[in-house]
Amino acid sequence: MTRQRCADVIVVGAGLAGLSVAWHLAPTARVLVLDQGSGPGEEASAQNAGMVRRLGEDPFERALAVRTAARLSGLAEQHPEDWAASPAHRTGALLALGRDPHHLHDAVAHLRAVGVRVEACDRPAELAPVLAGAPPLAAWYLPDELVADAWSLVQGFRSGLRRAGGQVQTGTRALALLRNGARVIGVNTDQGDVFADRVVLAAGAWSAALARSIGLERALVPLRRSLLMGGPHPLSRPDHPWTWVDDVGIYARPEGGGWLLSACDEVVDWPAPGPGSRGPAEEWHRALAADKLARWMPPLAGLRLKGGWTGLRTLPPTAGPCWGRAGAPGLWWAAGLGALG
Ligand SMILES: Cc1cc2nc3c(=O)[nH]c(=O)nc-3n(C[C@H](O)[C@H](O)[C@H](O)COP(=O)(O)OP(=O)(O)OC[C@H]3O[C@@H](n4cnc5c(N)ncnc54)[C@H](O)[C@@H]3O)c2cc1C
C-alpha cells in the first residue's frame, strides 16, 4: 500500500500549545494542524484568566514561565506581520501567602537571580486594595507581570502559519495514532488517514486518550476549574495588580470594571470524545469563592458573582508539561501545560 505523506509534521490540536509549536516549525517544515473544533483555540485556550505567572513553586515551570514572559514581551515587535499590537500587557501582580510565609522563598531567590523584579511587600493593601482588612502573612509584588490575550496569540500564530504555507484543518477529529512497526507515521481521523514524518500530540485534555490508541499510558489528568465574573466594583481599575493568595487558592484580576476570579477549585473530569470542554459555573463555585473572598479579600465580600464558566487544566503526574520526543519514534508531545497557557 502506498501512503501519501501530506506534511512533514502533523500537529493534533490547535490550542495555544499546538499552534505555538506549528508557528515555530512552519518556516522550515510543512506543517498540518488538525483540530476537532469548528475553529482553533476553542478549548482550554479560550477558558483561561490570561495571567502570566512566573512566581510559582515548581522550578521547571518557573523557568518556562520566565522564558514565556520574555518571549511574549517582544512578540509584536519581532513579528509585526502576525501581531499588530502586543498580545500581552503589563499589569503587575501581587502574590500573597495566608498560611505559610516561606512558601515562595526559593522561587523569589530564583527569579531575582535571573533579574526578575520581585519586591517584598509589608503593606500589600497599598498596592492591592482588595487585600485591605485581611493582611496576609507575607506578600511579594512583581511590577512587570503580564496578562496575555490568548485569542490574539491564537490569531497571530495562525496568521504566521498561513504565511509560511502551513495549514490548520478544523472540524477534523483524530481517532488514533498510526504506526508502522514501532514508529508513529500519521493519524487516523474521521476524514481519513493522514501521514507525516512526525506527529505532535497537542490535544490538551484529550492527549492521554490518543496516546492510549498505541498502547502508551500517560497519566495526564484533566482538572476542571471555575472562573467567575463579579462586579461592577470601584476597586477594579486597570492599575490594580492581579492578586493571588497562593497557599489559600483565591485570585482576582480586574476586568472591564469588575473582577475575574477563581477559588482555584479542582475536580478530576475526563472529557468525552469530541469538542466541548467548557462547562457552566455552578452555585457551589460561587459559594466557595464568596467564602474565600470574605476571609482573604474583604473588600470583595458580597461581590455580585454574575457569570463565569469552568474549563479543563490538564496536569502531568510529575511537575512540568509533557513536552518533547517520547514514547515512540516519530511521536512528540506538547501537552499537560496545566496552569501554564
Ligand atoms: C479556568 C482556567 C483558567 C486558566 N488560567 C490560566 C492563567 O491565568 N494563566 C495561564 O498561563 N494558564 C491558564 N490556564 C491554563 C491554560 O489555559 C492551558 O494550559 C492552555 O490553554 C492549554 O493549551 P493546550 O493547547 O494544551 O490545550 P487546549 O487549548 O485545550 O487545546 C487542545 C486542542 O486539541 C484539540 N483536540 C483534542 N483532541 C483532539 C482530537 N482527537 N482531534 C483533533 N483535535 C483535538 C482540541 O479541540 C483543542 O483545540 C487556565 C485554564 C483554565 C481551564
Side-chain angles (χ1 to χ4, degrees):
M1 186 181 80
T2 55
R3 297 186 190 102
Q4 199 182 346
R5 206 169 132 276
C6 44
D8 299 327
V9 181
I10 294 169
V11 178
V12 183
L16 284 172
L19 287 175
S20 172
V21 168
W23 181 81
H24 281 88
L25 290 176
T28 54
R30 273 199 313 146
V31 184
L32 170 65
V33 184
L34 304 175
D35 201 288
Q36 62 189 1
S38 56
E42 292 183 342
E43 302 293 348
S45 299
Q47 297 159 358
N48 60 76
M51 299 174 297
V52 183
R53 178 176 163 173
R54 291 179 292 182
L55 186 58
E57 202 183 352
D58 176 65
F60 183 78
E61 291 184 353
R62 209 161 55 229
L64 270 179
V66 167
R67 278 156 52 191
T68 300
R71 191 87 172 99
L72 285 174
S73 301
L75 212 48
E77 271 166 38
Q78 288 153 20
H79 301 280
E81 65 285 9
D82 296 331
W83 288 275
S86 177
H89 66 280
R90 197 177 137 215
T91 58
L94 198 129
L95 271 292
L97 295 164
R99 298 209 168 107
D100 175 7
H102 307 294
H103 177 60
L104 291 172
H105 270 43
D106 289 357
V108 170
H110 170 202
L111 290 189
R112 285 180 170 164
V114 296
V116 175
R117 288 199 293 162
V118 189
E119 299 165 12
C121 240
D122 292 337
R123 286 188 291 277
E126 288 179 8
L127 285 164
V130 290
L131 295 173
L137 295 176
W140 303 99
Y141 177 55
L142 293 91
D144 302 317
E145 256 2 18
L146 303 171
V147 168
D149 177 349
W151 180 243
S152 161
L153 280 168
V154 164
Q155 294 309 316
F157 287 140
R158 194 181 191 187
S159 125
L161 188 58
R162 276 210 196 106
R163 270 189 313 97
Q167 233 190 305
V168 180
Q169 188 176 315
T170 53
T172 304
R173 180 143 69 95
L175 303 173
L177 300 175
L178 295 169
R179 281 197 304 190
N180 184 8
R183 189 173 184 84
V184 172
I185 54 162
V187 181
N188 168 242
T189 81
D190 57 2
Q191 318 277 320
D193 292 347
V194 281
F195 298 95
D197 298 337
R198 293 178 203 85
V199 174
V200 181
L201 206 40
W206 295 264
S207 299
L210 276 172
R212 202 167 296 128
S213 68
I214 54 165
L216 283 177
E217 287 297 333
R218 286 288 182 279
L220 289 164
V221 182
L223 297 177
R224 186 167 290 283
R225 168 167 290 181
S226 67
L227 263 188
L228 306 173
M229 301 292 299
H233 192 271
L235 291 181
S236 171
R237 296 186 309 257
D239 63 344
H240 193 300
W242 53 262
T243 301
W244 197 324
V245 188
D246 189 43
D247 54 350
V248 170
I250 176 82
Y251 65 69
R253 87 162 168 80
E255 170 80 7
W259 292 92
L260 185 62
L261 57 98
S262 177
C264 300
D265 44 277
E266 291 182 335
V267 177
V268 176
D269 189 2
W270 297 95
S277 59
R278 187 182 172 111
E282 295 175 27
E283 196 44 46
W284 73 268
H285 297 121
R286 286 187 280 275
L288 182 65
D291 191 53
K292 288 189 178 179
L293 289 174
R295 168 69 185 86
W296 298 101
M297 298 182 179
L300 300 188
L303 190 73
R304 196 163 72 89
L305 299 174
K306 56 183 178 171
W309 60 88
T310 65
L312 292 176
R313 297 151 73 247
T314 303
L315 275 84
T318 51
C322 211
W323 205 267
R325 180 165 37 182
L331 179 63
W332 295 66
W333 294 74
L337 266 66
L340 295 173

mmCIF file of all heavy atoms in Angstrom, residues 129-167:
data_model
loop_
_atom_site.group_PDB
_atom_site.id
_atom_site.type_symbol
_atom_site.label_atom_id
_atom_site.label_comp_id
_atom_site.label_asym_id
_atom_site.label_seq_id
_atom_site.Cartn_x
_atom_site.Cartn_y
_atom_site.Cartn_z
ATOM 1 N N PRO A 129 -5.475 46.982 46.863
ATOM 2 C CA PRO A 129 -6.520 47.306 47.851
ATOM 3 C C PRO A 129 -7.519 46.181 48.116
ATOM 4 O O PRO A 129 -8.188 46.203 49.144
ATOM 5 C CB PRO A 129 -7.212 48.526 47.239
ATOM 6 C CG PRO A 129 -6.180 49.144 46.350
ATOM 7 C CD PRO A 129 -5.353 48.013 45.819
ATOM 8 N N VAL A 130 -7.606 45.180 47.237
ATOM 9 C CA VAL A 130 -8.541 44.073 47.539
ATOM 10 C C VAL A 130 -8.122 43.309 48.793
ATOM 11 O O VAL A 130 -8.923 42.579 49.365
ATOM 12 C CB VAL A 130 -8.686 43.052 46.375
ATOM 13 C CG1 VAL A 130 -9.429 43.643 45.202
ATOM 14 C CG2 VAL A 130 -7.365 42.456 45.967
ATOM 15 N N LEU A 131 -6.850 43.493 49.231
ATOM 16 C CA LEU A 131 -6.394 42.779 50.429
ATOM 17 C C LEU A 131 -6.651 43.571 51.716
ATOM 18 O O LEU A 131 -6.338 43.092 52.815
ATOM 19 C CB LEU A 131 -4.889 42.475 50.313
ATOM 20 C CG LEU A 131 -4.484 41.507 49.194
ATOM 21 C CD1 LEU A 131 -2.967 41.427 49.069
ATOM 22 C CD2 LEU A 131 -5.054 40.112 49.451
ATOM 23 N N ALA A 132 -7.217 44.758 51.605
ATOM 24 C CA ALA A 132 -7.430 45.599 52.788
ATOM 25 C C ALA A 132 -8.285 44.868 53.822
ATOM 26 O O ALA A 132 -9.286 44.242 53.486
ATOM 27 C CB ALA A 132 -8.109 46.907 52.381
ATOM 28 N N GLY A 133 -7.823 44.909 55.055
ATOM 29 C CA GLY A 133 -8.599 44.311 56.141
ATOM 30 C C GLY A 133 -8.288 42.849 56.395
ATOM 31 O O GLY A 133 -8.842 42.259 57.318
ATOM 32 N N ALA A 134 -7.409 42.253 55.590
ATOM 33 C CA ALA A 134 -7.040 40.842 55.806
ATOM 34 C C ALA A 134 -5.555 40.673 55.484
ATOM 35 O O ALA A 134 -5.209 40.010 54.515
ATOM 36 C CB ALA A 134 -7.877 39.925 54.928
ATOM 37 N N PRO A 135 -4.695 41.294 56.319
ATOM 38 C CA PRO A 135 -3.265 41.251 55.982
ATOM 39 C C PRO A 135 -2.746 39.823 55.877
ATOM 40 O O PRO A 135 -2.928 39.032 56.804
ATOM 41 C CB PRO A 135 -2.597 41.999 57.142
ATOM 42 C CG PRO A 135 -3.645 42.221 58.161
ATOM 43 C CD PRO A 135 -4.980 41.962 57.568
ATOM 44 N N PRO A 136 -2.139 39.456 54.753
ATOM 45 C CA PRO A 136 -1.573 38.112 54.644
ATOM 46 C C PRO A 136 -0.290 38.022 55.471
ATOM 47 O O PRO A 136 0.214 39.037 55.956
ATOM 48 C CB PRO A 136 -1.274 38.005 53.145
ATOM 49 C CG PRO A 136 -1.106 39.407 52.671
ATOM 50 C CD PRO A 136 -1.948 40.272 53.553
ATOM 51 N N LEU A 137 0.245 36.813 55.626
ATOM 52 C CA LEU A 137 1.467 36.643 56.418
ATOM 53 C C LEU A 137 2.685 37.176 55.672
ATOM 54 O O LEU A 137 3.671 37.595 56.272
ATOM 55 C CB LEU A 137 1.679 35.149 56.734
ATOM 56 C CG LEU A 137 0.626 34.510 57.633
ATOM 57 C CD1 LEU A 137 0.891 33.019 57.794
ATOM 58 C CD2 LEU A 137 0.594 35.203 58.988
ATOM 59 N N ALA A 138 2.635 37.113 54.344
ATOM 60 C CA ALA A 138 3.733 37.635 53.526
ATOM 61 C C ALA A 138 3.158 37.973 52.165
ATOM 62 O O ALA A 138 2.101 37.456 51.779
ATOM 63 C CB ALA A 138 4.841 36.589 53.386
ATOM 64 N N ALA A 139 3.871 38.847 51.448
ATOM 65 C CA ALA A 139 3.389 39.189 50.101
ATOM 66 C C ALA A 139 4.554 39.646 49.246
ATOM 67 O O ALA A 139 5.504 40.267 49.727
ATOM 68 C CB ALA A 139 2.331 40.278 50.177
ATOM 69 N N TRP A 140 4.481 39.314 47.976
ATOM 70 C CA TRP A 140 5.509 39.689 47.002
ATOM 71 C C TRP A 140 4.853 40.441 45.860
ATOM 72 O O TRP A 140 3.809 40.019 45.364
ATOM 73 C CB TRP A 140 6.202 38.432 46.445
ATOM 74 C CG TRP A 140 6.817 37.581 47.499
ATOM 75 C CD1 TRP A 140 6.295 36.457 48.050
ATOM 76 C CD2 TRP A 140 8.078 37.792 48.148
ATOM 77 N NE1 TRP A 140 7.145 35.938 48.996
ATOM 78 C CE2 TRP A 140 8.253 36.745 49.081
ATOM 79 C CE3 TRP A 140 9.074 38.767 48.039
ATOM 80 C CZ2 TRP A 140 9.377 36.646 49.890
ATOM 81 C CZ3 TRP A 140 10.206 38.658 48.847
ATOM 82 C CH2 TRP A 140 10.344 37.613 49.757
ATOM 83 N N TYR A 141 5.516 41.502 45.452
ATOM 84 C CA TYR A 141 4.989 42.308 44.347
ATOM 85 C C TYR A 141 5.918 42.170 43.144
ATOM 86 O O TYR A 141 7.141 42.321 43.266
ATOM 87 C CB TYR A 141 4.898 43.776 44.769
ATOM 88 C CG TYR A 141 4.428 44.693 43.661
ATOM 89 C CD1 TYR A 141 3.230 44.453 42.978
ATOM 90 C CD2 TYR A 141 5.177 45.819 43.296
ATOM 91 C CE1 TYR A 141 2.799 45.297 41.968
ATOM 92 C CE2 TYR A 141 4.750 46.673 42.290
ATOM 93 C CZ TYR A 141 3.568 46.402 41.627
ATOM 94 O OH TYR A 141 3.147 47.221 40.626
ATOM 95 N N LEU A 142 5.340 41.852 41.998
ATOM 96 C CA LEU A 142 6.112 41.741 40.750
ATOM 97 C C LEU A 142 5.583 42.794 39.784
ATOM 98 O O LEU A 142 4.533 42.598 39.150
ATOM 99 C CB LEU A 142 5.974 40.338 40.145
ATOM 100 C CG LEU A 142 6.615 39.218 40.962
ATOM 101 C CD1 LEU A 142 5.634 38.616 41.938
ATOM 102 C CD2 LEU A 142 7.192 38.149 40.059
ATOM 103 N N PRO A 143 6.269 43.924 39.698
ATOM 104 C CA PRO A 143 5.725 45.033 38.906
ATOM 105 C C PRO A 143 5.645 44.757 37.411
ATOM 106 O O PRO A 143 4.904 45.431 36.703
ATOM 107 C CB PRO A 143 6.705 46.181 39.190
ATOM 108 C CG PRO A 143 7.927 45.550 39.751
ATOM 109 C CD PRO A 143 7.525 44.249 40.373
ATOM 110 N N ASP A 144 6.378 43.753 36.933
ATOM 111 C CA ASP A 144 6.433 43.539 35.477
ATOM 112 C C ASP A 144 5.571 42.366 35.002
ATOM 113 O O ASP A 144 5.661 41.971 33.837
ATOM 114 C CB ASP A 144 7.888 43.303 35.039
ATOM 115 C CG ASP A 144 8.768 44.469 35.433
ATOM 116 O OD1 ASP A 144 8.318 45.616 35.244
ATOM 117 O OD2 ASP A 144 9.884 44.240 35.958
ATOM 118 N N GLU A 145 4.758 41.799 35.922
ATOM 119 C CA GLU A 145 3.952 40.642 35.496
ATOM 120 C C GLU A 145 2.940 41.034 34.418
ATOM 121 O O GLU A 145 2.479 42.172 34.356
ATOM 122 C CB GLU A 145 3.222 40.043 36.693
ATOM 123 C CG GLU A 145 3.745 38.769 37.296
ATOM 124 C CD GLU A 145 5.012 38.135 36.743
ATOM 125 O OE1 GLU A 145 5.824 38.777 36.041
ATOM 126 O OE2 GLU A 145 5.207 36.952 37.008
ATOM 127 N N LEU A 146 2.599 40.072 33.588
ATOM 128 C CA LEU A 146 1.801 40.323 32.387
ATOM 129 C C LEU A 146 0.442 39.645 32.458
ATOM 130 O O LEU A 146 0.255 38.666 33.187
ATOM 131 C CB LEU A 146 2.509 39.739 31.162
ATOM 132 C CG LEU A 146 3.935 40.205 30.860
ATOM 133 C CD1 LEU A 146 4.536 39.347 29.742
ATOM 134 C CD2 LEU A 146 3.942 41.673 30.439
ATOM 135 N N VAL A 147 -0.461 40.156 31.658
ATOM 136 C CA VAL A 147 -1.679 39.418 31.293
ATOM 137 C C VAL A 147 -1.623 39.236 29.781
ATOM 138 O O VAL A 147 -1.353 40.191 29.040
ATOM 139 C CB VAL A 147 -2.957 40.174 31.707
ATOM 140 C CG1 VAL A 147 -4.191 39.550 31.058
ATOM 141 C CG2 VAL A 147 -3.115 40.146 33.229
ATOM 142 N N ALA A 148 -1.815 38.010 29.339
ATOM 143 C CA ALA A 148 -1.749 37.721 27.897
ATOM 144 C C ALA A 148 -3.151 37.552 27.338
ATOM 145 O O ALA A 148 -4.064 37.103 28.037
ATOM 146 C CB ALA A 148 -0.950 36.441 27.662
ATOM 147 N N ASP A 149 -3.282 37.914 26.089
ATOM 148 C CA ASP A 149 -4.568 37.758 25.400
ATOM 149 C C ASP A 149 -4.477 36.493 24.534
ATOM 150 O O ASP A 149 -3.872 36.500 23.458
ATOM 151 C CB ASP A 149 -4.804 39.011 24.551
ATOM 152 C CG ASP A 149 -6.082 38.930 23.731
ATOM 153 O OD1 ASP A 149 -6.673 37.833 23.651
ATOM 154 O OD2 ASP A 149 -6.481 39.957 23.178
ATOM 155 N N ALA A 150 -5.067 35.413 25.052
ATOM 156 C CA ALA A 150 -4.916 34.114 24.381
ATOM 157 C C ALA A 150 -5.486 34.151 22.958
ATOM 158 O O ALA A 150 -4.931 33.542 22.041
ATOM 159 C CB ALA A 150 -5.605 33.023 25.199
ATOM 160 N N TRP A 151 -6.584 34.894 22.776
ATOM 161 C CA TRP A 151 -7.211 34.943 21.458
ATOM 162 C C TRP A 151 -6.260 35.608 20.453
ATOM 163 O O TRP A 151 -6.093 35.135 19.316
ATOM 164 C CB TRP A 151 -8.547 35.689 21.542
ATOM 165 C CG TRP A 151 -9.258 35.777 20.234
ATOM 166 C CD1 TRP A 151 -9.563 36.907 19.532
ATOM 167 C CD2 TRP A 151 -9.730 34.678 19.441
ATOM 168 N NE1 TRP A 151 -10.200 36.587 18.369
ATOM 169 C CE2 TRP A 151 -10.318 35.219 18.279
ATOM 170 C CE3 TRP A 151 -9.710 33.297 19.595
ATOM 171 C CZ2 TRP A 151 -10.884 34.436 17.284
ATOM 172 C CZ3 TRP A 151 -10.275 32.513 18.594
ATOM 173 C CH2 TRP A 151 -10.849 33.077 17.469
ATOM 174 N N SER A 152 -5.618 36.684 20.878
ATOM 175 C CA SER A 152 -4.671 37.371 19.999
ATOM 176 C C SER A 152 -3.486 36.448 19.674
ATOM 177 O O SER A 152 -2.988 36.424 18.540
ATOM 178 C CB SER A 152 -4.203 38.659 20.685
ATOM 179 O OG SER A 152 -3.020 39.113 20.127
ATOM 180 N N LEU A 153 -3.048 35.679 20.663
ATOM 181 C CA LEU A 153 -1.953 34.724 20.396
ATOM 182 C C LEU A 153 -2.377 33.691 19.357
ATOM 183 O O LEU A 153 -1.654 33.410 18.407
ATOM 184 C CB LEU A 153 -1.548 34.017 21.695
ATOM 185 C CG LEU A 153 -0.625 34.814 22.605
ATOM 186 C CD1 LEU A 153 -0.517 34.158 23.972
ATOM 187 C CD2 LEU A 153 0.760 34.936 21.972
ATOM 188 N N VAL A 154 -3.574 33.149 19.552
ATOM 189 C CA VAL A 154 -4.082 32.136 18.615
ATOM 190 C C VAL A 154 -4.146 32.711 17.194
ATOM 191 O O VAL A 154 -3.682 32.087 16.225
ATOM 192 C CB VAL A 154 -5.481 31.643 19.071
ATOM 193 C CG1 VAL A 154 -6.216 30.916 17.959
ATOM 194 C CG2 VAL A 154 -5.349 30.735 20.294
ATOM 195 N N GLN A 155 -4.684 33.925 17.075
ATOM 196 C CA GLN A 155 -4.815 34.524 15.739
ATOM 197 C C GLN A 155 -3.450 34.802 15.114
ATOM 198 O O GLN A 155 -3.243 34.598 13.916
ATOM 199 C CB GLN A 155 -5.630 35.826 15.819
ATOM 200 C CG GLN A 155 -7.074 35.618 16.224
ATOM 201 C CD GLN A 155 -7.759 34.544 15.373
ATOM 202 O OE1 GLN A 155 -7.615 34.502 14.161
ATOM 203 N NE2 GLN A 155 -8.474 33.634 16.019
ATOM 204 N N GLY A 156 -2.509 35.285 15.920
ATOM 205 C CA GLY A 156 -1.167 35.584 15.396
ATOM 206 C C GLY A 156 -0.441 34.324 14.949
ATOM 207 O O GLY A 156 0.167 34.284 13.869
ATOM 208 N N PHE A 157 -0.517 33.292 15.772
ATOM 209 C CA PHE A 157 0.122 32.018 15.390
ATOM 210 C C PHE A 157 -0.484 31.512 14.084
ATOM 211 O O PHE A 157 0.212 31.048 13.190
ATOM 212 C CB PHE A 157 -0.082 30.956 16.474
ATOM 213 C CG PHE A 157 0.744 31.157 17.719
ATOM 214 C CD1 PHE A 157 0.209 30.909 18.980
ATOM 215 C CD2 PHE A 157 2.064 31.566 17.637
ATOM 216 C CE1 PHE A 157 0.967 31.075 20.125
ATOM 217 C CE2 PHE A 157 2.836 31.735 18.790
ATOM 218 C CZ PHE A 157 2.281 31.499 20.031
ATOM 219 N N ARG A 158 -1.804 31.634 13.993
ATOM 220 C CA ARG A 158 -2.489 31.119 12.809
ATOM 221 C C ARG A 158 -2.081 31.910 11.559
ATOM 222 O O ARG A 158 -1.845 31.334 10.497
ATOM 223 C CB ARG A 158 -3.989 31.240 13.038
ATOM 224 C CG ARG A 158 -4.763 30.451 12.054
ATOM 225 C CD ARG A 158 -6.225 30.607 12.267
ATOM 226 N NE ARG A 158 -6.935 29.639 11.465
ATOM 227 C CZ ARG A 158 -8.240 29.611 11.338
ATOM 228 N NH1 ARG A 158 -8.976 30.477 11.972
ATOM 229 N NH2 ARG A 158 -8.810 28.711 10.578
ATOM 230 N N SER A 159 -1.971 33.213 11.726
ATOM 231 C CA SER A 159 -1.602 34.047 10.569
ATOM 232 C C SER A 159 -0.173 33.710 10.099
ATOM 233 O O SER A 159 0.086 33.564 8.903
ATOM 234 C CB SER A 159 -1.766 35.525 10.941
ATOM 235 O OG SER A 159 -0.599 36.263 10.719
ATOM 236 N N GLY A 160 0.748 33.560 11.059
ATOM 237 C CA GLY A 160 2.131 33.236 10.682
ATOM 238 C C GLY A 160 2.230 31.873 10.016
ATOM 239 O O GLY A 160 2.987 31.670 9.058
ATOM 240 N N LEU A 161 1.433 30.968 10.541
ATOM 241 C CA LEU A 161 1.420 29.616 9.996
ATOM 242 C C LEU A 161 0.957 29.636 8.537
ATOM 243 O O LEU A 161 1.576 29.036 7.649
ATOM 244 C CB LEU A 161 0.463 28.784 10.855
ATOM 245 C CG LEU A 161 0.393 27.294 10.645
ATOM 246 C CD1 LEU A 161 1.752 26.667 10.857
ATOM 247 C CD2 LEU A 161 -0.613 26.682 11.627
ATOM 248 N N ARG A 162 -0.116 30.387 8.305
ATOM 249 C CA ARG A 162 -0.642 30.504 6.936
ATOM 250 C C ARG A 162 0.394 31.123 6.014
ATOM 251 O O ARG A 162 0.599 30.656 4.899
ATOM 252 C CB ARG A 162 -1.873 31.411 6.933
ATOM 253 C CG ARG A 162 -3.136 30.699 7.295
ATOM 254 C CD ARG A 162 -4.296 31.391 6.568
ATOM 255 N NE ARG A 162 -5.557 31.005 7.162
ATOM 256 C CZ ARG A 162 -6.281 31.796 7.939
ATOM 257 N NH1 ARG A 162 -5.873 33.017 8.215
ATOM 258 N NH2 ARG A 162 -7.410 31.369 8.440
ATOM 259 N N ARG A 163 1.024 32.213 6.477
ATOM 260 C CA ARG A 163 2.012 32.907 5.634
ATOM 261 C C ARG A 163 3.122 31.962 5.210
ATOM 262 O O ARG A 163 3.670 32.047 4.118
ATOM 263 C CB ARG A 163 2.629 34.092 6.387
ATOM 264 C CG ARG A 163 1.900 35.393 6.219
ATOM 265 C CD ARG A 163 2.664 36.564 6.810
ATOM 266 N NE ARG A 163 3.167 36.288 8.147
ATOM 267 C CZ ARG A 163 4.390 35.875 8.443
ATOM 268 N NH1 ARG A 163 5.278 35.740 7.500
ATOM 269 N NH2 ARG A 163 4.745 35.623 9.684
ATOM 270 N N ALA A 164 3.477 31.039 6.143
ATOM 271 C CA ALA A 164 4.583 30.124 5.856
ATOM 272 C C ALA A 164 4.120 28.893 5.076
ATOM 273 O O ALA A 164 4.894 27.966 4.843
ATOM 274 C CB ALA A 164 5.244 29.699 7.168
ATOM 275 N N GLY A 165 2.837 28.861 4.716
ATOM 276 C CA GLY A 165 2.341 27.735 3.913
ATOM 277 C C GLY A 165 1.793 26.594 4.737
ATOM 278 O O GLY A 165 1.417 25.551 4.187
ATOM 279 N N GLY A 166 1.734 26.778 6.069
ATOM 280 C CA GLY A 166 1.162 25.731 6.928
ATOM 281 C C GLY A 166 -0.358 25.778 6.870
ATOM 282 O O GLY A 166 -0.945 26.721 6.341
ATOM 283 N N GLN A 167 -0.987 24.764 7.424
ATOM 284 C CA GLN A 167 -2.449 24.638 7.296
ATOM 285 C C GLN A 167 -3.075 24.283 8.633
ATOM 286 O O GLN A 167 -2.519 23.455 9.378
ATOM 287 C CB GLN A 167 -2.701 23.462 6.358
ATOM 288 C CG GLN A 167 -3.603 23.745 5.182
ATOM 289 C CD GLN A 167 -3.924 22.414 4.514
ATOM 290 O OE1 GLN A 167 -3.008 21.674 4.135
ATOM 291 N NE2 GLN A 167 -5.205 22.116 4.417
#
